[in-house]
Amino acid sequence: MSAGKRSGVARLALAAGLLACAAAQAADYRIGPTPAWVKPVALAALPQPQAGAANVAYGLRYDLIDDQVRLAANGRGRWHHEISEAVTDKGIDALSHHEIAFDPSWETLTLVQLDVVRDGRRTSRLREVRVKVLQRERDLESRIYDGRKSVVLDLSDVRVGDTVEFAYVRTGMNPVFQGHHASDFDMQWEVPVAQVHRRLSTAAGLDVRVAALSGAPAAQVSRADGFDERTWDLHDVPALRMEASVPGSYNPYPWIEWSDFASWADVARWAERLYAVPARLGPELQSAVDGVARQDSRDDERVLAVLRLVQQQVRYLGVEIGAGTHAPSTPQVVWARRWGDCKEKALLMVTMLRALGIDASPALVNTDRQEDIARDLPSAGSFDHVIVRVRHDGRDIWLDPTRAPQQGTLATVTQPDYARALVLDGSSGALASMPAHTVEAHARDVRIDVDSRDGFDKPVRYDVRTAYRGLSADMMRDRLGNGERAELQRGYLNFYAGSYPGIRVAAPFEVQDDARANIVVVTEHYAVKDFWPDDGHGAHQARFHAPEIDNELQAPAEPIRSMPLALHGPQSVREHLHVRLPLAWPDRKTDQSVTNQAFSLHRSVRVHGSELESDDVLEITKDRIAASAVAGFAADIGKAQDVLRLSLSTAHSGGWSDRAPLLAGLALLALLASWPWRRRVRAALARRGAPAAPAGGAAHATAANDSRQDLAA
């Protein structure tokens, strides 16, 4: 075959492929009219927007966000309609791009309208717009495949001053909910909206409860054509920006939720049908259970053996398509393939424990809202994670099989702290309270040994021994298990180099792991040149720190605020500093404390001859404080930082005298504000990350996804 013929065949094959692709994409959506149940919304007359106006954000003005939902006995439709204007060239990109996420396994997407209004003239672009259908796994980095698709519409020739009107409808119900309805409306975003319309239309036979949360207004109620109507009309809705470092559970945005579950007991009965434990185990799974029984004779040992077996041998991977969003695969399947998501790993663990005669049940939790779900309407969409509750010796123990392998005994293993859980044990009628973490659940003990006996101009030995306990031990063990010791050592070294530029690694760090006590000990070895720098006037001064504590006591980035502040608690840090000095100093002892509603710090410093010792204890007792308490908290952080400032200095008159060292400052010497004691590496390992603000802006307003009903548990 000639090259020309081959290229011709290739072009034909390419054309056929493109046609097949177009046909497949067209099958994922259709173009149709506005459904008869939708009630058109009249747009209020709006003044011409100005670039600097308060109702303009990111170069756009949202004139209308209109969502309408119709609920029937076994059906649901959700209409989304928006009108937006490009005020500056910054808004053209957002106005040109529209993206709709949906689940093709149970949803039908109909595109209804895509008009461009320019200079008063309206043009429909719906049948000429470029449409792409993407299999976009948004949680792929978390190893979750949900099968959702995105229909992406990219408009050409959009200009400043254009108005785009866009509408679509999604219909269908995920069969996993067995006819139940639960979802919500957002009422405010991080962008201003000129007009917000919400309408919930429910068939008269449905017992749907509706709640207004976070200051959302009450609905206007009516009835028409056998449907109960609730509507909300809002005008000039301002932007609401999330402040820095708010707790993950904090949600200041007004919202409306609805659910037809009468109680948490009803939600539990619905979920228990999905989490049925098989009466008999397959041969392979039964063999694994028998192996645990032979190896361990006590129930507490068997619980931990099963926990570690599921944590280690079943990797985390979620295929949450259709009913898989909430219904787990059978334990036999999960064990055979050796992968599963949280609900599948939890059910597998429960199945194995019950086969061993141990009382265990799946427990549904919300990792973000935690305690706040108690204020929600009972709903199948209130949860985003599944763990396991075990009853042993008269107490409840909460375990998470999706975590990295945990060590310790049943008494020392770190338990999850999600505040509330719905336990699927066949009898739950309400949310169960989970025990809050104490400061000892996340603890570090640090000992710093500094040997400078060789003199002021000689390198000093600087050793750091850190014992991680509880949650800290789990996190450090997980990091060490990645085989990244060289990277960890480099991070430690560069942290100290910020304060001691002449530092070098004297020997690689060492690790001791007491698995039963759940304690990991890391010992670092450094040599520091110019530890006692000359100030140019014949005096030497060294500064001493409590680095782990200093890292935790940072002033809030936004002290003037209206929202609560997230803290890295509860946790405790103890640091002991022992310095062997070049010369003897006069004896001195000080004790100082700073106490706040959220933390306490105590420091004790002793100088005796040629040795200096300090002991510091920090306890952060809360994970958040109210906005009204932030100013006082910041002031007390400043006091604590003053307490932690410690240095020794020599002074002389004429020549240097071995007998003339003086204590120049022991507790309140001011340090340079730029002194960079922020240990980013250890912060990532040893404290909870600052919660991220919720998504907002154009994408939040446009997607109009069902944030609760479509949420995978």
Side-chain angles (χ1 to χ4, degrees):
M1 183 179 292
S2 69
K5 289 182 178 180
R6 285 199 301 270
S7 64
V9 171
R11 284 194 295 271
L12 288 173
L14 177 61
L18 290 173
L19 288 173
C21 180
Q25 290 188 355
D28 288 318
Y29 68 92
R30 67 186 184 91
I31 296 175
T34 301
W37 57 266
V38 171
K39 292 185 177 181
V41 177
L43 182 63
L46 298 171
Q48 186 67 27
Q50 302 297 317
N55 61 354
V56 173
Y58 309 108
L60 280 177
R61 184 175 77 177
Y62 285 93
D63 293 336
L64 173 67
I65 302 294
D66 168 26
D67 282 280
Q68 302 182 34
V69 173
R70 187 173 181 88
L71 306 179
N74 287 295
R76 184 194 66 167
R78 185 150 192 163
W79 160 266
H80 178 73
H81 173 216
E82 66 180 60
I83 302 174
S84 307
E85 301 176 58
V87 181
T88 72
D89 57 355
K90 299 292 185 183
I92 291 176
D93 182 65
L95 206 61
S96 302
H97 182 86
H98 297 269
E99 189 169 334
I100 312 162
F102 73 109
D103 189 334
S105 68
W106 56 269
E107 263 188 317
T108 299
L109 173 64
T110 302
L111 304 179
V112 175
Q113 185 178 19
L114 184 59
D115 293 352
V116 175
V117 180
R118 180 179 298 160
D119 298 327
R121 182 178 178 182
R122 179 180 295 271
T123 304
S124 175
R125 301 276 192 91
L126 188 56
R127 296 190 180 274
E128 65 182 53
V129 70
R130 182 186 179 191
V131 181
K132 299 187 292 291
V133 180
L134 307 177
Q135 186 79 42
R136 183 167 294 180
E137 300 291 350
R138 298 184 184 276
D139 294 318
L140 188 61
E141 69 280 358
S142 301
R143 286 176 287 180
I144 296 176
Y145 300 85
D146 62 12
R148 294 172 70 86
K149 291 186 177 182
S150 293
V151 171
V152 180
L153 299 90
D154 284 304
L155 278 167
S156 59
D157 187 23
V158 176
R159 308 175 190 178
V160 172
D162 285 354
T163 296
V164 173
E165 187 166 1
F166 175 53
Y168 62 86
V169 63
R170 296 156 49 205
T171 56
M173 289 186 67
N174 191 332
V176 77
F177 292 108
Q178 302 168 3
H180 282 289
H181 294 285
S183 193
D184 57 46
F185 283 137
D186 291 326
M187 305 297 282
Q188 190 175 19
W189 301 268
E190 291 185 346
V191 296
V193 181
Q195 186 174 344
V196 175
H197 178 75
R198 297 287 187 247
R199 173 173 171 253
L200 178 63
S201 178
T202 61
L206 295 179
D207 187 12
V208 176
R209 294 163 176 80
V210 180
L213 301 174
S214 298
Q220 296 178 343
V221 180
S222 62
R223 174 169 289 193
D225 302 323
F227 281 80
D228 294 322
E229 302 278 338
R230 296 176 178 87
T231 58
W232 296 262
D233 282 293
L234 302 158
H235 295 272
D236 297 323
V237 177
L240 178 59
R241 302 290 176 88
M242 195 72 77
E243 294 172 357
S245 301
V246 298
S249 63
Y250 178 69
N251 179 18
Y253 296 93
W255 53 294
I256 305 295
E257 68 168 346
W258 63 85
S259 173
D260 65 358
F261 286 95
S263 65
W264 290 114
D266 287 346
V267 179
R269 303 296 87 78
W270 162 80
E272 284 161 358
R273 290 193 289 270
L274 306 178
Y275 286 82
V277 173
R280 298 183 60 185
L281 306 186
E284 190 176 359
L285 184 54
Q286 184 65 58
S287 176
V289 171
D290 293 342
V292 172
R294 287 192 301 270
Q295 178 181 345
D296 301 297
S297 59
R298 292 168 28 189
D299 280 355
D300 59 337
E301 294 172 338
R302 290 178 173 183
V303 170
L304 287 177
V306 172
L307 173 68
R308 290 166 186 154
L309 199 65
V310 178
Q311 287 177 338
Q312 292 173 329
Q313 296 197 24
V314 180
R315 67 188 177 96
Y316 187 89
L317 177 66
V319 179
E320 301 178 344
I321 299 173
T325 56
H326 292 72
S329 302
T330 65
Q332 285 92 339
V333 167
V334 175
W335 182 249
R337 71 193 184 193
R338 293 299 200 276
W339 58 262
D341 59 14
C342 63
K343 58 185 178 290
E344 292 168 331
K345 286 166 71 88
L347 180 57
L348 172 62
M349 182 177 170
V350 167
T351 298
M352 298 178 72
L353 290 176
R354 288 189 184 178
L356 291 165
I358 296 170
D359 186 350
S361 301
L364 310 183
V365 298
N366 191 302
T367 58
D368 284 332
R369 287 183 57 70
Q370 300 182 10
E371 181 72 36
D372 290 344
I373 67 169
R375 301 198 310 240
D376 294 353
L377 291 175
S379 166
S382 292
F383 309 99
D384 65 355
H385 191 44
V386 187
I387 59 174
V388 173
R389 187 204 67 183
V390 173
R391 281 195 162 154
H392 176 71
D393 282 348
R395 68 187 185 99
D396 289 343
I397 300 169
W398 308 87
L399 302 169
D400 189 342
T402 67
R403 294 182 62 180
Q406 294 175 277
Q407 301 301 323
T409 65
L410 206 56
T412 61
V413 69
T414 306
Q415 302 181 37
D417 180 11
Y418 299 128
R420 295 298 185 103
L422 184 65
V423 181
L424 307 182
D425 60 359
S427 61
S428 290
L431 296 172
S433 295
M434 301 177 67
H437 277 168
T438 65
V439 294
E440 293 303 316
H442 182 19
R444 284 159 287 159
D445 295 328
V446 184
R447 179 184 175 93
I448 301 175
D449 286 291
V450 180
D451 190 345
S452 62
R453 288 176 293 180
D454 288 345
F456 296 106
D457 59 346
K458 302 295 184 180
V460 307
R461 192 186 75 201
Y462 192 97
D463 294 336
V464 183
R465 180 186 184 275
T466 307
Y468 299 89
R469 294 183 283 117
L471 179 60
S472 295
D474 291 341
M475 298 171 74
M476 177 55 74
R477 192 179 288 115
D478 185 41
R479 179 68 183 272
L480 292 168
N482 292 335
E484 299 177 355
R485 291 200 178 189
E487 182 67 23
L488 198 58
Q489 179 72 84
R490 185 162 47 250
Y492 287 170
L493 176 64
N494 281 286
F495 161 70
Y496 289 114
S499 298
Y500 302 120
I503 196 170
R504 63 176 177 83
V505 176
F509 68 78
E510 304 152 6
V511 178
Q512 296 173 299
D513 190 345
D514 186 336
R516 186 166 184 80
N518 196 20
I519 298 175
V520 176
V521 178
V522 178
T523 305
E524 306 161 62
H525 305 281
Y526 303 98
V528 183
K529 183 181 178 181
D530 297 327
F531 187 85
W532 294 85
D534 191 321
D535 67 358
H537 301 285
H540 295 267
Q541 184 180 43
R543 295 181 172 96
F544 307 99
H545 293 263
E548 294 283 355
I549 289 179
D550 188 73
N551 183 69
E552 297 297 338
L553 291 177
Q554 299 297 321
E558 291 186 67
I560 301 174
R561 58 196 297 127
S562 61
M563 299 179 183
L565 176 71
L567 304 179
H568 302 128
Q571 66 164 307
S572 71
V573 185
R574 296 177 175 87
E575 296 201 56
H576 175 76
L577 171 68
H578 180 213
V579 185
R580 292 177 173 87
L581 302 167
L583 297 170
W585 258 260
D587 287 359
R588 182 78 176 269
K589 181 178 180 180
T590 63
D591 287 276
Q592 293 177 282
S593 297
V594 177
T595 301
N596 180 273
Q597 62 169 303
F599 76 88
S600 65
L601 172 70
H602 179 76
R603 157 160 281 197
S604 176
V605 180
R606 300 168 301 283
V607 177
H608 178 68
S610 59
E611 292 192 63
L612 179 151
E613 290 187 277
S614 71
D615 285 284
D616 303 296
V617 179
L618 170 68
E619 291 188 351
I620 301 177
T621 56
K622 296 185 177 182
D623 65 354
R624 71 190 67 191
I625 55 174
S628 59
V630 171
F633 173 79
D636 288 334
I637 287 287
K639 295 176 184 177
Q641 290 172 339
D642 286 342
V643 167
L644 291 172
R645 289 168 180 157
L646 171 63
S647 68
L648 284 179
S649 176
T650 64
H652 66 87
S653 177
W656 169 258
S657 171
D658 289 347
R659 296 188 299 272
L662 300 175
L663 184 66
L666 190 55
L668 296 175
L669 286 179
L671 299 181
L672 295 176
S674 60
W675 195 260
W677 276 102
R678 297 194 179 190
R679 191 167 195 172
R680 301 298 187 187
V681 173
R682 285 203 172 169
L685 292 174
R687 71 184 190 186
R688 299 176 181 173
H700 188 89
T702 301
N705 289 331
D706 296 336
S707 58
R708 297 169 67 78
Q709 182 151 354
D710 297 344
L711 187 62

